[in-house]
Amino acid sequence: MSTEPSRSHSAAKADPGLRRFLIRTAIGGIPLGCILLAVLYYCLIIRPDLVGDLGELGKIPFDREYARQMYRPVLSGQRKVDYARGEAMSPVVTIGDSFSQQNPNGFQNFLGDMLGHDITNIPFDFHKTSPEQGAADLLATGFFDNHPEVEWVIVETIERDLVDRWLAVEFDRARSNPPVKYRREEDAPAEGKVQESLGRYFRQGVDWIKLSTGIADSPVCSVELSEECFTLAGKESRLYFYDQDLTRISASDDELAAVAGKISALRDRFADKGIKMIFMPAPDKYELYQHLTVDNPYPARPLGASLSAALDTLDFVVNPLPELRRMLDNGDKDIYMADDTHWSAKGASAAAAMLHRHMTGM
């Protein structure tokens, strides 16, 4: 007996199920397709105008020409040199967070130009240790015993993290290999870099979708100022700042005393090695401009004043905040960059001049 009719009947019965499967798959793929299209739009249209770290953080397009002006090198040469394993260092070494990693308009480049020699910067993997703890670890492991050429060490800390990072510093802990990000270490394979970039762009695109639709809160805050403090067209009196500037707005007297004690202890340990230490707190952007805000929905932050009262009496502390405020009161614009959390070349140069005066006694 022939089985053809039975087979045809079975295939006919399977067709509706297959159609339903295909329809459901297509419908289910619509959201993914929309996401992929949105990510592509972000990568091609939005991302090219995300300049400054605030633009990157908040997925906010800013003026690229303003960014080019801010990042254009002021000096012709580069005086800051990141440390490479085993090489000799300059007489002046810097250890710090992102304010110590700026190129080419970072404070080290201006300070090196004033001193007439290079500045060695020792960057740390911030995911593994803080720069302050890294400085203590280098001392404890005898790192500087192998570098008698070092005369000065400048330790820099961003204001918003200053209290918590210094309170957490441990001296003489067992750490044989501090996570220094050495220059000229072996790079990742090109294939790995491409995959990493594609993954990063996709994640950034998804983040942009979340911020644009209100699913996620932006990490970038903004508020109007009573004066024009920037030269960014259309946003001359608009302050953009990182919401982490508000994570710690004050510190207790006991915390401030403990912080001052630990900074002094690190200075003494450097002195035991014959090295002079300078500590430089880097003011947060919100700290500098908060007194000019209009209808400010964000809390006032007295932390900067408290830190100044606790630390400025120490003869090895160079605090740029009073000088930056004087410049602001005199009408200087773009002391910090409008689209970034960091000071501009103008602010970095002012900090470098203060360091230079401290080091040379001028």
Side-chain angles (χ1 to χ4, degrees), residues 277-311:
M277 188 192 99
I278 297 174
F279 176 64
M280 183 175 72
D284 289 317
K285 191 176 185 181
Y286 182 70
E287 179 69 58
L288 180 62
Y289 295 96
Q290 65 173 327
H291 67 291
L292 297 177
T293 55
V294 177
D295 297 326
N296 188 2
Y298 306 108
R301 196 175 84 159
L303 181 61
S306 299
L307 288 170
S308 293
L311 301 178

PDB file of all heavy atoms in Angstrom, residues 277-311:
ATOM      1  N   MET A 277      58.175  64.636  50.283  1.00  0.00           N
ATOM      2  CA  MET A 277      56.846  64.371  49.730  1.00  0.00           C
ATOM      3  C   MET A 277      56.007  65.632  49.773  1.00  0.00           C
ATOM      4  O   MET A 277      56.019  66.379  50.750  1.00  0.00           O
ATOM      5  CB  MET A 277      56.138  63.260  50.506  1.00  0.00           C
ATOM      6  CG  MET A 277      54.819  62.809  49.858  1.00  0.00           C
ATOM      7  SD  MET A 277      53.803  61.750  50.922  1.00  0.00           S
ATOM      8  CE  MET A 277      52.619  62.948  51.569  1.00  0.00           C
ATOM      9  N   ILE A 278      55.254  65.853  48.696  1.00  0.00           N
ATOM     10  CA  ILE A 278      54.223  66.889  48.637  1.00  0.00           C
ATOM     11  C   ILE A 278      52.887  66.194  48.455  1.00  0.00           C
ATOM     12  O   ILE A 278      52.766  65.248  47.660  1.00  0.00           O
ATOM     13  CB  ILE A 278      54.456  67.856  47.462  1.00  0.00           C
ATOM     14  CG1 ILE A 278      55.774  68.604  47.622  1.00  0.00           C
ATOM     15  CG2 ILE A 278      53.306  68.848  47.342  1.00  0.00           C
ATOM     16  CD1 ILE A 278      56.123  69.478  46.419  1.00  0.00           C
ATOM     17  N   PHE A 279      51.894  66.640  49.200  1.00  0.00           N
ATOM     18  CA  PHE A 279      50.544  66.130  48.980  1.00  0.00           C
ATOM     19  C   PHE A 279      49.701  67.225  48.334  1.00  0.00           C
ATOM     20  O   PHE A 279      49.664  68.357  48.822  1.00  0.00           O
ATOM     21  CB  PHE A 279      49.891  65.676  50.280  1.00  0.00           C
ATOM     22  CG  PHE A 279      48.459  65.241  50.071  1.00  0.00           C
ATOM     23  CD1 PHE A 279      48.174  64.143  49.280  1.00  0.00           C
ATOM     24  CD2 PHE A 279      47.404  65.951  50.643  1.00  0.00           C
ATOM     25  CE1 PHE A 279      46.856  63.751  49.051  1.00  0.00           C
ATOM     26  CE2 PHE A 279      46.097  65.563  50.437  1.00  0.00           C
ATOM     27  CZ  PHE A 279      45.816  64.458  49.639  1.00  0.00           C
ATOM     28  N   MET A 280      49.032  66.885  47.241  1.00  0.00           N
ATOM     29  CA  MET A 280      48.184  67.842  46.535  1.00  0.00           C
ATOM     30  C   MET A 280      46.770  67.296  46.384  1.00  0.00           C
ATOM     31  O   MET A 280      46.544  66.343  45.637  1.00  0.00           O
ATOM     32  CB  MET A 280      48.744  68.175  45.151  1.00  0.00           C
ATOM     33  CG  MET A 280      47.910  69.228  44.431  1.00  0.00           C
ATOM     34  SD  MET A 280      48.608  69.754  42.832  1.00  0.00           S
ATOM     35  CE  MET A 280      48.301  68.291  41.841  1.00  0.00           C
ATOM     36  N   PRO A 281      45.787  67.870  47.083  1.00  0.00           N
ATOM     37  CA  PRO A 281      44.390  67.505  46.831  1.00  0.00           C
ATOM     38  C   PRO A 281      43.899  68.219  45.577  1.00  0.00           C
ATOM     39  O   PRO A 281      44.135  69.413  45.400  1.00  0.00           O
ATOM     40  CB  PRO A 281      43.664  68.019  48.081  1.00  0.00           C
ATOM     41  CG  PRO A 281      44.519  69.145  48.588  1.00  0.00           C
ATOM     42  CD  PRO A 281      45.938  68.830  48.187  1.00  0.00           C
ATOM     43  N   ALA A 282      43.241  67.486  44.687  1.00  0.00           N
ATOM     44  CA  ALA A 282      42.697  68.077  43.460  1.00  0.00           C
ATOM     45  C   ALA A 282      41.217  68.373  43.691  1.00  0.00           C
ATOM     46  O   ALA A 282      40.433  67.458  43.935  1.00  0.00           O
ATOM     47  CB  ALA A 282      42.864  67.121  42.284  1.00  0.00           C
ATOM     48  N   PRO A 283      40.822  69.640  43.652  1.00  0.00           N
ATOM     49  CA  PRO A 283      39.419  69.983  43.945  1.00  0.00           C
ATOM     50  C   PRO A 283      38.465  69.387  42.919  1.00  0.00           C
ATOM     51  O   PRO A 283      38.772  69.302  41.728  1.00  0.00           O
ATOM     52  CB  PRO A 283      39.402  71.522  43.870  1.00  0.00           C
ATOM     53  CG  PRO A 283      40.826  71.936  44.001  1.00  0.00           C
ATOM     54  CD  PRO A 283      41.643  70.830  43.395  1.00  0.00           C
ATOM     55  N   ASP A 284      37.296  68.976  43.392  1.00  0.00           N
ATOM     56  CA  ASP A 284      36.249  68.541  42.480  1.00  0.00           C
ATOM     57  C   ASP A 284      35.674  69.743  41.745  1.00  0.00           C
ATOM     58  O   ASP A 284      35.679  70.871  42.246  1.00  0.00           O
ATOM     59  CB  ASP A 284      35.128  67.841  43.242  1.00  0.00           C
ATOM     60  CG  ASP A 284      35.549  66.482  43.774  1.00  0.00           C
ATOM     61  OD1 ASP A 284      36.215  65.743  43.032  1.00  0.00           O
ATOM     62  OD2 ASP A 284      35.214  66.179  44.918  1.00  0.00           O
ATOM     63  N   LYS A 285      35.132  69.493  40.583  1.00  0.00           N
ATOM     64  CA  LYS A 285      34.536  70.569  39.779  1.00  0.00           C
ATOM     65  C   LYS A 285      33.381  71.233  40.527  1.00  0.00           C
ATOM     66  O   LYS A 285      33.268  72.467  40.548  1.00  0.00           O
ATOM     67  CB  LYS A 285      34.056  69.984  38.451  1.00  0.00           C
ATOM     68  CG  LYS A 285      33.654  71.009  37.404  1.00  0.00           C
ATOM     69  CD  LYS A 285      33.288  70.288  36.119  1.00  0.00           C
ATOM     70  CE  LYS A 285      32.991  71.273  35.006  1.00  0.00           C
ATOM     71  NZ  LYS A 285      32.600  70.577  33.760  1.00  0.00           N
ATOM     72  N   TYR A 286      32.525  70.425  41.145  1.00  0.00           N
ATOM     73  CA  TYR A 286      31.386  70.977  41.881  1.00  0.00           C
ATOM     74  C   TYR A 286      31.863  71.842  43.036  1.00  0.00           C
ATOM     75  O   TYR A 286      31.260  72.878  43.347  1.00  0.00           O
ATOM     76  CB  TYR A 286      30.507  69.836  42.391  1.00  0.00           C
ATOM     77  CG  TYR A 286      29.256  70.295  43.137  1.00  0.00           C
ATOM     78  CD1 TYR A 286      28.227  70.911  42.450  1.00  0.00           C
ATOM     79  CD2 TYR A 286      29.120  70.088  44.509  1.00  0.00           C
ATOM     80  CE1 TYR A 286      27.083  71.319  43.124  1.00  0.00           C
ATOM     81  CE2 TYR A 286      27.989  70.490  45.182  1.00  0.00           C
ATOM     82  CZ  TYR A 286      26.962  71.106  44.486  1.00  0.00           C
ATOM     83  OH  TYR A 286      25.836  71.515  45.156  1.00  0.00           O
ATOM     84  N   GLU A 287      32.949  71.433  43.672  1.00  0.00           N
ATOM     85  CA  GLU A 287      33.503  72.189  44.793  1.00  0.00           C
ATOM     86  C   GLU A 287      33.857  73.611  44.355  1.00  0.00           C
ATOM     87  O   GLU A 287      33.558  74.582  45.052  1.00  0.00           O
ATOM     88  CB  GLU A 287      34.745  71.489  45.331  1.00  0.00           C
ATOM     89  CG  GLU A 287      35.423  72.201  46.477  1.00  0.00           C
ATOM     90  CD  GLU A 287      34.583  72.168  47.735  1.00  0.00           C
ATOM     91  OE1 GLU A 287      34.263  71.063  48.198  1.00  0.00           O
ATOM     92  OE2 GLU A 287      34.252  73.261  48.251  1.00  0.00           O
ATOM     93  N   LEU A 288      34.492  73.728  43.205  1.00  0.00           N
ATOM     94  CA  LEU A 288      34.964  75.033  42.748  1.00  0.00           C
ATOM     95  C   LEU A 288      33.819  75.965  42.383  1.00  0.00           C
ATOM     96  O   LEU A 288      33.880  77.166  42.667  1.00  0.00           O
ATOM     97  CB  LEU A 288      35.898  74.852  41.547  1.00  0.00           C
ATOM     98  CG  LEU A 288      36.473  76.133  40.944  1.00  0.00           C
ATOM     99  CD1 LEU A 288      37.337  76.877  41.973  1.00  0.00           C
ATOM    100  CD2 LEU A 288      37.286  75.826  39.690  1.00  0.00           C
ATOM    101  N   TYR A 289      32.770  75.431  41.761  1.00  0.00           N
ATOM    102  CA  TYR A 289      31.728  76.282  41.196  1.00  0.00           C
ATOM    103  C   TYR A 289      30.442  76.331  42.014  1.00  0.00           C
ATOM    104  O   TYR A 289      29.527  77.090  41.657  1.00  0.00           O
ATOM    105  CB  TYR A 289      31.388  75.806  39.773  1.00  0.00           C
ATOM    106  CG  TYR A 289      32.511  75.959  38.783  1.00  0.00           C
ATOM    107  CD1 TYR A 289      33.362  74.895  38.484  1.00  0.00           C
ATOM    108  CD2 TYR A 289      32.734  77.168  38.122  1.00  0.00           C
ATOM    109  CE1 TYR A 289      34.391  75.031  37.567  1.00  0.00           C
ATOM    110  CE2 TYR A 289      33.762  77.314  37.199  1.00  0.00           C
ATOM    111  CZ  TYR A 289      34.591  76.235  36.928  1.00  0.00           C
ATOM    112  OH  TYR A 289      35.612  76.375  36.017  1.00  0.00           O
ATOM    113  N   GLN A 290      30.327  75.570  43.082  1.00  0.00           N
ATOM    114  CA  GLN A 290      29.031  75.441  43.745  1.00  0.00           C
ATOM    115  C   GLN A 290      28.494  76.761  44.279  1.00  0.00           C
ATOM    116  O   GLN A 290      27.276  76.971  44.332  1.00  0.00           O
ATOM    117  CB  GLN A 290      29.104  74.401  44.868  1.00  0.00           C
ATOM    118  CG  GLN A 290      30.024  74.762  46.022  1.00  0.00           C
ATOM    119  CD  GLN A 290      29.916  73.757  47.167  1.00  0.00           C
ATOM    120  OE1 GLN A 290      28.855  73.196  47.433  1.00  0.00           O
ATOM    121  NE2 GLN A 290      31.025  73.514  47.839  1.00  0.00           N
ATOM    122  N   HIS A 291      29.359  77.691  44.668  1.00  0.00           N
ATOM    123  CA  HIS A 291      28.871  78.954  45.225  1.00  0.00           C
ATOM    124  C   HIS A 291      28.252  79.862  44.158  1.00  0.00           C
ATOM    125  O   HIS A 291      27.609  80.866  44.495  1.00  0.00           O
ATOM    126  CB  HIS A 291      30.006  79.697  45.936  1.00  0.00           C
ATOM    127  CG  HIS A 291      31.085  80.194  45.026  1.00  0.00           C
ATOM    128  ND1 HIS A 291      31.950  79.343  44.370  1.00  0.00           N
ATOM    129  CD2 HIS A 291      31.442  81.457  44.651  1.00  0.00           C
ATOM    130  CE1 HIS A 291      32.797  80.050  43.639  1.00  0.00           C
ATOM    131  NE2 HIS A 291      32.512  81.336  43.789  1.00  0.00           N
ATOM    132  N   LEU A 292      28.398  79.499  42.886  1.00  0.00           N
ATOM    133  CA  LEU A 292      27.818  80.295  41.805  1.00  0.00           C
ATOM    134  C   LEU A 292      26.540  79.677  41.242  1.00  0.00           C
ATOM    135  O   LEU A 292      25.967  80.212  40.290  1.00  0.00           O
ATOM    136  CB  LEU A 292      28.834  80.458  40.665  1.00  0.00           C
ATOM    137  CG  LEU A 292      30.117  81.218  40.994  1.00  0.00           C
ATOM    138  CD1 LEU A 292      31.054  81.229  39.789  1.00  0.00           C
ATOM    139  CD2 LEU A 292      29.808  82.636  41.451  1.00  0.00           C
ATOM    140  N   THR A 293      26.075  78.569  41.792  1.00  0.00           N
ATOM    141  CA  THR A 293      24.907  77.888  41.249  1.00  0.00           C
ATOM    142  C   THR A 293      23.632  78.668  41.546  1.00  0.00           C
ATOM    143  O   THR A 293      23.514  79.359  42.558  1.00  0.00           O
ATOM    144  CB  THR A 293      24.781  76.466  41.811  1.00  0.00           C
ATOM    145  OG1 THR A 293      24.758  76.520  43.245  1.00  0.00           O
ATOM    146  CG2 THR A 293      25.946  75.610  41.357  1.00  0.00           C
ATOM    147  N   VAL A 294      22.660  78.534  40.634  1.00  0.00           N
ATOM    148  CA  VAL A 294      21.366  79.215  40.751  1.00  0.00           C
ATOM    149  C   VAL A 294      20.275  78.156  40.862  1.00  0.00           C
ATOM    150  O   VAL A 294      20.223  77.218  40.066  1.00  0.00           O
ATOM    151  CB  VAL A 294      21.113  80.109  39.525  1.00  0.00           C
ATOM    152  CG1 VAL A 294      19.733  80.768  39.614  1.00  0.00           C
ATOM    153  CG2 VAL A 294      22.204  81.156  39.394  1.00  0.00           C
ATOM    154  N   ASP A 295      19.383  78.327  41.858  1.00  0.00           N
ATOM    155  CA  ASP A 295      18.297  77.355  42.078  1.00  0.00           C
ATOM    156  C   ASP A 295      18.852  75.934  42.091  1.00  0.00           C
ATOM    157  O   ASP A 295      18.363  75.040  41.382  1.00  0.00           O
ATOM    158  CB  ASP A 295      17.211  77.492  40.999  1.00  0.00           C
ATOM    159  CG  ASP A 295      16.532  78.853  41.026  1.00  0.00           C
ATOM    160  OD1 ASP A 295      16.381  79.406  42.132  1.00  0.00           O
ATOM    161  OD2 ASP A 295      16.173  79.364  39.952  1.00  0.00           O
ATOM    162  N   ASN A 296      19.861  75.748  42.887  1.00  0.00           N
ATOM    163  CA  ASN A 296      20.586  74.482  42.913  1.00  0.00           C
ATOM    164  C   ASN A 296      19.789  73.404  43.644  1.00  0.00           C
ATOM    165  O   ASN A 296      19.529  73.537  44.849  1.00  0.00           O
ATOM    166  CB  ASN A 296      21.943  74.696  43.591  1.00  0.00           C
ATOM    167  CG  ASN A 296      22.844  73.475  43.497  1.00  0.00           C
ATOM    168  OD1 ASN A 296      22.490  72.467  42.900  1.00  0.00           O
ATOM    169  ND2 ASN A 296      24.015  73.571  44.100  1.00  0.00           N
ATOM    170  N   PRO A 297      19.406  72.315  42.955  1.00  0.00           N
ATOM    171  CA  PRO A 297      18.684  71.237  43.637  1.00  0.00           C
ATOM    172  C   PRO A 297      19.601  70.290  44.404  1.00  0.00           C
ATOM    173  O   PRO A 297      19.118  69.398  45.113  1.00  0.00           O
ATOM    174  CB  PRO A 297      18.005  70.500  42.484  1.00  0.00           C
ATOM    175  CG  PRO A 297      18.952  70.675  41.339  1.00  0.00           C
ATOM    176  CD  PRO A 297      19.556  72.052  41.512  1.00  0.00           C
ATOM    177  N   TYR A 298      20.909  70.494  44.268  1.00  0.00           N
ATOM    178  CA  TYR A 298      21.872  69.587  44.885  1.00  0.00           C
ATOM    179  C   TYR A 298      22.372  70.169  46.203  1.00  0.00           C
ATOM    180  O   TYR A 298      22.406  71.384  46.393  1.00  0.00           O
ATOM    181  CB  TYR A 298      23.041  69.337  43.929  1.00  0.00           C
ATOM    182  CG  TYR A 298      22.599  68.851  42.581  1.00  0.00           C
ATOM    183  CD1 TYR A 298      22.671  69.687  41.456  1.00  0.00           C
ATOM    184  CD2 TYR A 298      22.073  67.573  42.416  1.00  0.00           C
ATOM    185  CE1 TYR A 298      22.242  69.252  40.214  1.00  0.00           C
ATOM    186  CE2 TYR A 298      21.649  67.134  41.179  1.00  0.00           C
ATOM    187  CZ  TYR A 298      21.730  67.978  40.078  1.00  0.00           C
ATOM    188  OH  TYR A 298      21.293  67.547  38.854  1.00  0.00           O
ATOM    189  N   PRO A 299      22.790  69.315  47.132  1.00  0.00           N
ATOM    190  CA  PRO A 299      23.207  69.809  48.447  1.00  0.00           C
ATOM    191  C   PRO A 299      24.516  70.577  48.397  1.00  0.00           C
ATOM    192  O   PRO A 299      25.383  70.301  47.559  1.00  0.00           O
ATOM    193  CB  PRO A 299      23.357  68.522  49.269  1.00  0.00           C
ATOM    194  CG  PRO A 299      23.647  67.455  48.256  1.00  0.00           C
ATOM    195  CD  PRO A 299      22.873  67.835  47.040  1.00  0.00           C
ATOM    196  N   ALA A 300      24.636  71.554  49.283  1.00  0.00           N
ATOM    197  CA  ALA A 300      25.914  72.244  49.443  1.00  0.00           C
ATOM    198  C   ALA A 300      26.925  71.256  50.000  1.00  0.00           C
ATOM    199  O   ALA A 300      26.581  70.334  50.742  1.00  0.00           O
ATOM    200  CB  ALA A 300      25.747  73.434  50.374  1.00  0.00           C
ATOM    201  N   ARG A 301      28.190  71.467  49.642  1.00  0.00           N
ATOM    202  CA  ARG A 301      29.210  70.532  50.090  1.00  0.00           C
ATOM    203  C   ARG A 301      30.323  71.295  50.808  1.00  0.00           C
ATOM    204  O   ARG A 301      31.136  71.967  50.166  1.00  0.00           O
ATOM    205  CB  ARG A 301      29.787  69.757  48.901  1.00  0.00           C
ATOM    206  CG  ARG A 301      30.556  68.519  49.365  1.00  0.00           C
ATOM    207  CD  ARG A 301      31.016  67.713  48.190  1.00  0.00           C
ATOM    208  NE  ARG A 301      32.265  68.222  47.649  1.00  0.00           N
ATOM    209  CZ  ARG A 301      33.091  67.502  46.894  1.00  0.00           C
ATOM    210  NH1 ARG A 301      32.789  66.278  46.563  1.00  0.00           N
ATOM    211  NH2 ARG A 301      34.206  68.011  46.442  1.00  0.00           N
ATOM    212  N   PRO A 302      30.383  71.187  52.136  1.00  0.00           N
ATOM    213  CA  PRO A 302      31.429  71.880  52.893  1.00  0.00           C
ATOM    214  C   PRO A 302      32.745  71.112  52.982  1.00  0.00           C
ATOM    215  O   PRO A 302      33.661  71.541  53.691  1.00  0.00           O
ATOM    216  CB  PRO A 302      30.793  72.026  54.278  1.00  0.00           C
ATOM    217  CG  PRO A 302      29.915  70.818  54.408  1.00  0.00           C
ATOM    218  CD  PRO A 302      29.390  70.537  53.015  1.00  0.00           C
ATOM    219  N   LEU A 303      32.855  69.992  52.266  1.00  0.00           N
ATOM    220  CA  LEU A 303      34.028  69.133  52.410  1.00  0.00           C
ATOM    221  C   LEU A 303      35.313  69.866  52.077  1.00  0.00           C
ATOM    222  O   LEU A 303      36.322  69.719  52.778  1.00  0.00           O
ATOM    223  CB  LEU A 303      33.883  67.899  51.516  1.00  0.00           C
ATOM    224  CG  LEU A 303      35.039  66.888  51.574  1.00  0.00           C
ATOM    225  CD1 LEU A 303      35.195  66.325  52.982  1.00  0.00           C
ATOM    226  CD2 LEU A 303      34.824  65.767  50.565  1.00  0.00           C
ATOM    227  N   GLY A 304      35.303  70.654  51.010  1.00  0.00           N
ATOM    228  CA  GLY A 304      36.521  71.350  50.609  1.00  0.00           C
ATOM    229  C   GLY A 304      37.042  72.275  51.688  1.00  0.00           C
ATOM    230  O   GLY A 304      38.248  72.303  51.974  1.00  0.00           O
ATOM    231  N   ALA A 305      36.129  73.032  52.307  1.00  0.00           N
ATOM    232  CA  ALA A 305      36.541  73.944  53.376  1.00  0.00           C
ATOM    233  C   ALA A 305      37.075  73.164  54.572  1.00  0.00           C
ATOM    234  O   ALA A 305      38.066  73.569  55.205  1.00  0.00           O
ATOM    235  CB  ALA A 305      35.366  74.822  53.791  1.00  0.00           C
ATOM    236  N   SER A 306      36.449  72.041  54.887  1.00  0.00           N
ATOM    237  CA  SER A 306      36.896  71.225  56.024  1.00  0.00           C
ATOM    238  C   SER A 306      38.281  70.641  55.766  1.00  0.00           C
ATOM    239  O   SER A 306      39.142  70.626  56.656  1.00  0.00           O
ATOM    240  CB  SER A 306      35.896  70.097  56.293  1.00  0.00           C
ATOM    241  OG  SER A 306      34.617  70.602  56.613  1.00  0.00           O
ATOM    242  N   LEU A 307      38.492  70.155  54.550  1.00  0.00           N
ATOM    243  CA  LEU A 307      39.801  69.605  54.213  1.00  0.00           C
ATOM    244  C   LEU A 307      40.877  70.684  54.247  1.00  0.00           C
ATOM    245  O   LEU A 307      41.994  70.445  54.720  1.00  0.00           O
ATOM    246  CB  LEU A 307      39.754  68.958  52.834  1.00  0.00           C
ATOM    247  CG  LEU A 307      38.986  67.634  52.733  1.00  0.00           C
ATOM    248  CD1 LEU A 307      38.814  67.219  51.285  1.00  0.00           C
ATOM    249  CD2 LEU A 307      39.694  66.537  53.518  1.00  0.00           C
ATOM    250  N   SER A 308      40.535  71.874  53.766  1.00  0.00           N
ATOM    251  CA  SER A 308      41.506  72.975  53.803  1.00  0.00           C
ATOM    252  C   SER A 308      41.896  73.300  55.233  1.00  0.00           C
ATOM    253  O   SER A 308      43.078  73.497  55.547  1.00  0.00           O
ATOM    254  CB  SER A 308      40.924  74.211  53.115  1.00  0.00           C
ATOM    255  OG  SER A 308      40.767  73.996  51.732  1.00  0.00           O
ATOM    256  N   ALA A 309      40.904  73.350  56.122  1.00  0.00           N
ATOM    257  CA  ALA A 309      41.184  73.669  57.518  1.00  0.00           C
ATOM    258  C   ALA A 309      42.064  72.599  58.167  1.00  0.00           C
ATOM    259  O   ALA A 309      42.914  72.900  59.009  1.00  0.00           O
ATOM    260  CB  ALA A 309      39.876  73.813  58.291  1.00  0.00           C
ATOM    261  N   ALA A 310      41.867  71.342  57.761  1.00  0.00           N
ATOM    262  CA  ALA A 310      42.603  70.244  58.391  1.00  0.00           C
ATOM    263  C   ALA A 310      43.990  70.044  57.799  1.00  0.00           C
ATOM    264  O   ALA A 310      44.902  69.580  58.493  1.00  0.00           O
ATOM    265  CB  ALA A 310      41.800  68.945  58.256  1.00  0.00           C
ATOM    266  N   LEU A 311      44.166  70.382  56.514  1.00  0.00           N
ATOM    267  CA  LEU A 311      45.403  70.018  55.818  1.00  0.00           C
ATOM    268  C   LEU A 311      46.302  71.197  55.462  1.00  0.00           C
ATOM    269  O   LEU A 311      47.519  71.020  55.347  1.00  0.00           O
ATOM    270  CB  LEU A 311      45.069  69.244  54.536  1.00  0.00           C
ATOM    271  CG  LEU A 311      44.278  67.938  54.696  1.00  0.00           C
ATOM    272  CD1 LEU A 311      44.005  67.327  53.330  1.00  0.00           C
ATOM    273  CD2 LEU A 311      44.997  66.947  55.590  1.00  0.00           C
TER     274      LEU A 311
END
